[in-house]
PDB file of all heavy atoms in Angstrom:
ATOM      1  N   SER A  24       7.855  53.126 -51.825  1.00  0.00           N
ATOM      2  CA  SER A  24       7.467  54.343 -51.131  1.00  0.00           C
ATOM      3  C   SER A  24       6.067  54.788 -51.548  1.00  0.00           C
ATOM      4  O   SER A  24       5.737  54.769 -52.738  1.00  0.00           O
ATOM      5  CB  SER A  24       8.469  55.451 -51.471  1.00  0.00           C
ATOM      6  OG  SER A  24       7.964  56.698 -51.073  1.00  0.00           O
ATOM      7  N   ILE A  38      -7.090  64.281 -47.590  1.00  0.00           N
ATOM      8  CA  ILE A  38      -6.188  65.342 -47.168  1.00  0.00           C
ATOM      9  C   ILE A  38      -6.026  65.235 -45.663  1.00  0.00           C
ATOM     10  O   ILE A  38      -6.983  64.967 -44.938  1.00  0.00           O
ATOM     11  CB  ILE A  38      -6.643  66.753 -47.612  1.00  0.00           C
ATOM     12  CG1 ILE A  38      -8.018  67.114 -47.072  1.00  0.00           C
ATOM     13  CG2 ILE A  38      -6.625  66.866 -49.130  1.00  0.00           C
ATOM     14  CD1 ILE A  38      -8.438  68.552 -47.345  1.00  0.00           C
ATOM     15  N   ASP A  43      -1.031  64.087 -46.350  1.00  0.00           N
ATOM     16  CA  ASP A  43      -1.824  63.638 -47.497  1.00  0.00           C
ATOM     17  C   ASP A  43      -2.467  64.859 -48.136  1.00  0.00           C
ATOM     18  O   ASP A  43      -3.038  65.696 -47.444  1.00  0.00           O
ATOM     19  CB  ASP A  43      -2.930  62.664 -47.059  1.00  0.00           C
ATOM     20  CG  ASP A  43      -2.387  61.378 -46.481  1.00  0.00           C
ATOM     21  OD1 ASP A  43      -1.656  60.683 -47.201  1.00  0.00           O
ATOM     22  OD2 ASP A  43      -2.702  61.075 -45.314  1.00  0.00           O
ATOM     23  N   GLN A  48      -7.773  68.842 -61.116  1.00  0.00           N
ATOM     24  CA  GLN A  48      -7.782  69.440 -62.451  1.00  0.00           C
ATOM     25  C   GLN A  48      -9.235  69.673 -62.843  1.00  0.00           C
ATOM     26  O   GLN A  48     -10.110  68.885 -62.481  1.00  0.00           O
ATOM     27  CB  GLN A  48      -7.155  68.513 -63.489  1.00  0.00           C
ATOM     28  CG  GLN A  48      -5.671  68.356 -63.370  1.00  0.00           C
ATOM     29  CD  GLN A  48      -5.119  67.403 -64.422  1.00  0.00           C
ATOM     30  OE1 GLN A  48      -5.711  66.371 -64.734  1.00  0.00           O
ATOM     31  NE2 GLN A  48      -3.972  67.737 -64.966  1.00  0.00           N
ATOM     32  N   ALA A  54     -14.232  78.681 -69.893  1.00  0.00           N
ATOM     33  CA  ALA A  54     -13.884  79.958 -69.274  1.00  0.00           C
ATOM     34  C   ALA A  54     -12.830  80.726 -70.065  1.00  0.00           C
ATOM     35  O   ALA A  54     -12.429  81.816 -69.654  1.00  0.00           O
ATOM     36  CB  ALA A  54     -13.395  79.726 -67.850  1.00  0.00           C
ATOM     37  N   GLY A  56     -11.069  83.270 -72.187  1.00  0.00           N
ATOM     38  CA  GLY A  56     -11.432  84.654 -72.500  1.00  0.00           C
ATOM     39  C   GLY A  56     -12.280  85.319 -71.434  1.00  0.00           C
ATOM     40  O   GLY A  56     -12.712  86.447 -71.616  1.00  0.00           O
ATOM     41  N   ARG A  65     -16.433  73.850 -54.435  1.00  0.00           N
ATOM     42  CA  ARG A  65     -17.336  73.057 -53.600  1.00  0.00           C
ATOM     43  C   ARG A  65     -16.763  71.655 -53.469  1.00  0.00           C
ATOM     44  O   ARG A  65     -16.427  71.022 -54.464  1.00  0.00           O
ATOM     45  CB  ARG A  65     -18.731  72.994 -54.208  1.00  0.00           C
ATOM     46  CG  ARG A  65     -19.491  74.292 -54.052  1.00  0.00           C
ATOM     47  CD  ARG A  65     -20.897  74.227 -54.627  1.00  0.00           C
ATOM     48  NE  ARG A  65     -21.702  73.154 -54.093  1.00  0.00           N
ATOM     49  CZ  ARG A  65     -22.597  73.265 -53.115  1.00  0.00           C
ATOM     50  NH1 ARG A  65     -22.798  74.431 -52.556  1.00  0.00           N
ATOM     51  NH2 ARG A  65     -23.297  72.231 -52.715  1.00  0.00           N
ATOM     52  N   PRO A 101       2.397  53.696 -65.995  1.00  0.00           N
ATOM     53  CA  PRO A 101       3.365  54.444 -66.804  1.00  0.00           C
ATOM     54  C   PRO A 101       2.789  55.778 -67.279  1.00  0.00           C
ATOM     55  O   PRO A 101       1.659  55.845 -67.749  1.00  0.00           O
ATOM     56  CB  PRO A 101       3.637  53.504 -67.986  1.00  0.00           C
ATOM     57  CG  PRO A 101       3.310  52.143 -67.460  1.00  0.00           C
ATOM     58  CD  PRO A 101       2.187  52.342 -66.471  1.00  0.00           C
ATOM     59  N   GLY A 102       3.565  56.835 -67.096  1.00  0.00           N
ATOM     60  CA  GLY A 102       3.178  58.152 -67.587  1.00  0.00           C
ATOM     61  C   GLY A 102       2.268  58.942 -66.678  1.00  0.00           C
ATOM     62  O   GLY A 102       1.890  60.060 -67.004  1.00  0.00           O
ATOM     63  N   PHE A 108       7.128  62.867 -60.214  1.00  0.00           N
ATOM     64  CA  PHE A 108       6.986  63.131 -61.651  1.00  0.00           C
ATOM     65  C   PHE A 108       5.589  63.619 -62.011  1.00  0.00           C
ATOM     66  O   PHE A 108       4.596  63.092 -61.522  1.00  0.00           O
ATOM     67  CB  PHE A 108       7.246  61.857 -62.473  1.00  0.00           C
ATOM     68  CG  PHE A 108       8.678  61.426 -62.491  1.00  0.00           C
ATOM     69  CD1 PHE A 108       9.140  60.488 -61.600  1.00  0.00           C
ATOM     70  CD2 PHE A 108       9.560  61.968 -63.414  1.00  0.00           C
ATOM     71  CE1 PHE A 108      10.466  60.079 -61.618  1.00  0.00           C
ATOM     72  CE2 PHE A 108      10.887  61.570 -63.432  1.00  0.00           C
ATOM     73  CZ  PHE A 108      11.346  60.626 -62.534  1.00  0.00           C
ATOM     74  N   TYR A 118      12.282  70.335 -63.161  1.00  0.00           N
ATOM     75  CA  TYR A 118      13.635  70.096 -63.669  1.00  0.00           C
ATOM     76  C   TYR A 118      14.073  68.722 -63.160  1.00  0.00           C
ATOM     77  O   TYR A 118      13.459  68.186 -62.225  1.00  0.00           O
ATOM     78  CB  TYR A 118      14.590  71.201 -63.198  1.00  0.00           C
ATOM     79  CG  TYR A 118      14.508  71.461 -61.710  1.00  0.00           C
ATOM     80  CD1 TYR A 118      15.232  70.678 -60.801  1.00  0.00           C
ATOM     81  CD2 TYR A 118      13.684  72.457 -61.210  1.00  0.00           C
ATOM     82  CE1 TYR A 118      15.140  70.886 -59.442  1.00  0.00           C
ATOM     83  CE2 TYR A 118      13.588  72.672 -59.847  1.00  0.00           C
ATOM     84  CZ  TYR A 118      14.310  71.887 -58.967  1.00  0.00           C
ATOM     85  OH  TYR A 118      14.207  72.090 -57.623  1.00  0.00           O
ATOM     86  N   LEU A 123       7.028  67.450 -56.380  1.00  0.00           N
ATOM     87  CA  LEU A 123       5.821  68.270 -56.319  1.00  0.00           C
ATOM     88  C   LEU A 123       5.996  69.509 -55.444  1.00  0.00           C
ATOM     89  O   LEU A 123       5.416  70.562 -55.725  1.00  0.00           O
ATOM     90  CB  LEU A 123       4.645  67.414 -55.814  1.00  0.00           C
ATOM     91  CG  LEU A 123       3.268  68.028 -55.836  1.00  0.00           C
ATOM     92  CD1 LEU A 123       2.883  68.488 -57.243  1.00  0.00           C
ATOM     93  CD2 LEU A 123       2.245  67.046 -55.305  1.00  0.00           C
ATOM     94  N   GLY A 131       8.566  77.887 -57.578  1.00  0.00           N
ATOM     95  CA  GLY A 131       8.460  77.719 -59.022  1.00  0.00           C
ATOM     96  C   GLY A 131       7.424  78.605 -59.681  1.00  0.00           C
ATOM     97  O   GLY A 131       6.913  78.279 -60.744  1.00  0.00           O
ATOM     98  N   ALA A 142     -19.398  75.360 -44.184  1.00  0.00           N
ATOM     99  CA  ALA A 142     -20.391  74.316 -44.421  1.00  0.00           C
ATOM    100  C   ALA A 142     -21.494  74.886 -45.303  1.00  0.00           C
ATOM    101  O   ALA A 142     -21.980  75.989 -45.075  1.00  0.00           O
ATOM    102  CB  ALA A 142     -20.960  73.818 -43.103  1.00  0.00           C
ATOM    103  N   PHE A 148     -18.973  71.588 -48.611  1.00  0.00           N
ATOM    104  CA  PHE A 148     -18.224  72.723 -48.079  1.00  0.00           C
ATOM    105  C   PHE A 148     -17.862  73.619 -49.252  1.00  0.00           C
ATOM    106  O   PHE A 148     -17.628  73.139 -50.360  1.00  0.00           O
ATOM    107  CB  PHE A 148     -16.944  72.256 -47.376  1.00  0.00           C
ATOM    108  CG  PHE A 148     -17.225  71.547 -46.088  1.00  0.00           C
ATOM    109  CD1 PHE A 148     -17.493  70.195 -46.070  1.00  0.00           C
ATOM    110  CD2 PHE A 148     -17.247  72.248 -44.899  1.00  0.00           C
ATOM    111  CE1 PHE A 148     -17.779  69.535 -44.884  1.00  0.00           C
ATOM    112  CE2 PHE A 148     -17.525  71.605 -43.702  1.00  0.00           C
ATOM    113  CZ  PHE A 148     -17.793  70.244 -43.696  1.00  0.00           C
ATOM    114  N   SER A 158      -7.551  82.164 -62.914  1.00  0.00           N
ATOM    115  CA  SER A 158      -7.024  82.743 -64.151  1.00  0.00           C
ATOM    116  C   SER A 158      -5.718  82.071 -64.573  1.00  0.00           C
ATOM    117  O   SER A 158      -5.476  81.870 -65.762  1.00  0.00           O
ATOM    118  CB  SER A 158      -6.813  84.249 -63.987  1.00  0.00           C
ATOM    119  OG  SER A 158      -8.054  84.889 -63.796  1.00  0.00           O
ATOM    120  N   LEU A 170      -4.509  70.575 -53.046  1.00  0.00           N
ATOM    121  CA  LEU A 170      -5.383  70.891 -51.922  1.00  0.00           C
ATOM    122  C   LEU A 170      -4.823  70.226 -50.668  1.00  0.00           C
ATOM    123  O   LEU A 170      -4.485  69.039 -50.701  1.00  0.00           O
ATOM    124  CB  LEU A 170      -6.789  70.364 -52.218  1.00  0.00           C
ATOM    125  CG  LEU A 170      -7.868  70.602 -51.182  1.00  0.00           C
ATOM    126  CD1 LEU A 170      -8.241  72.080 -51.133  1.00  0.00           C
ATOM    127  CD2 LEU A 170      -9.094  69.762 -51.522  1.00  0.00           C
ATOM    128  N   THR A 171      -4.719  71.001 -49.572  1.00  0.00           N
ATOM    129  CA  THR A 171      -4.230  70.463 -48.302  1.00  0.00           C
ATOM    130  C   THR A 171      -5.167  70.870 -47.168  1.00  0.00           C
ATOM    131  O   THR A 171      -5.941  71.819 -47.304  1.00  0.00           O
ATOM    132  CB  THR A 171      -2.813  70.979 -47.966  1.00  0.00           C
ATOM    133  OG1 THR A 171      -2.855  72.403 -47.876  1.00  0.00           O
ATOM    134  CG2 THR A 171      -1.798  70.545 -48.992  1.00  0.00           C
ATOM    135  N   LEU A 183     -12.647  63.295 -48.978  1.00  0.00           N
ATOM    136  CA  LEU A 183     -13.515  64.059 -49.866  1.00  0.00           C
ATOM    137  C   LEU A 183     -13.875  63.223 -51.083  1.00  0.00           C
ATOM    138  O   LEU A 183     -13.101  62.372 -51.510  1.00  0.00           O
ATOM    139  CB  LEU A 183     -12.794  65.331 -50.325  1.00  0.00           C
ATOM    140  CG  LEU A 183     -12.168  66.188 -49.230  1.00  0.00           C
ATOM    141  CD1 LEU A 183     -11.331  67.285 -49.844  1.00  0.00           C
ATOM    142  CD2 LEU A 183     -13.229  66.743 -48.310  1.00  0.00           C
ATOM    143  N   PRO A 191     -18.584  64.815 -57.147  1.00  0.00           N
ATOM    144  CA  PRO A 191     -17.313  65.399 -57.588  1.00  0.00           C
ATOM    145  C   PRO A 191     -17.156  66.858 -57.168  1.00  0.00           C
ATOM    146  O   PRO A 191     -18.146  67.581 -57.031  1.00  0.00           O
ATOM    147  CB  PRO A 191     -17.373  65.277 -59.109  1.00  0.00           C
ATOM    148  CG  PRO A 191     -18.768  64.973 -59.457  1.00  0.00           C
ATOM    149  CD  PRO A 191     -19.457  64.444 -58.250  1.00  0.00           C
ATOM    150  N   PRO A 192     -15.909  67.289 -56.956  1.00  0.00           N
ATOM    151  CA  PRO A 192     -15.662  68.700 -56.653  1.00  0.00           C
ATOM    152  C   PRO A 192     -16.189  69.577 -57.791  1.00  0.00           C
ATOM    153  O   PRO A 192     -16.142  69.194 -58.965  1.00  0.00           O
ATOM    154  CB  PRO A 192     -14.135  68.791 -56.571  1.00  0.00           C
ATOM    155  CG  PRO A 192     -13.669  67.410 -56.314  1.00  0.00           C
ATOM    156  CD  PRO A 192     -14.661  66.519 -56.990  1.00  0.00           C
TER     157      PRO A 192
END
Side-chain angles (χ1 to χ4, degrees):
S24 167
I38 59 173
D43 296 301
Q48 289 179 320
R65 286 181 55 98
F108 289 95
Y118 50 84
L123 187 57
F148 290 86
S158 295
L170 181 70
T171 60
L183 310 172

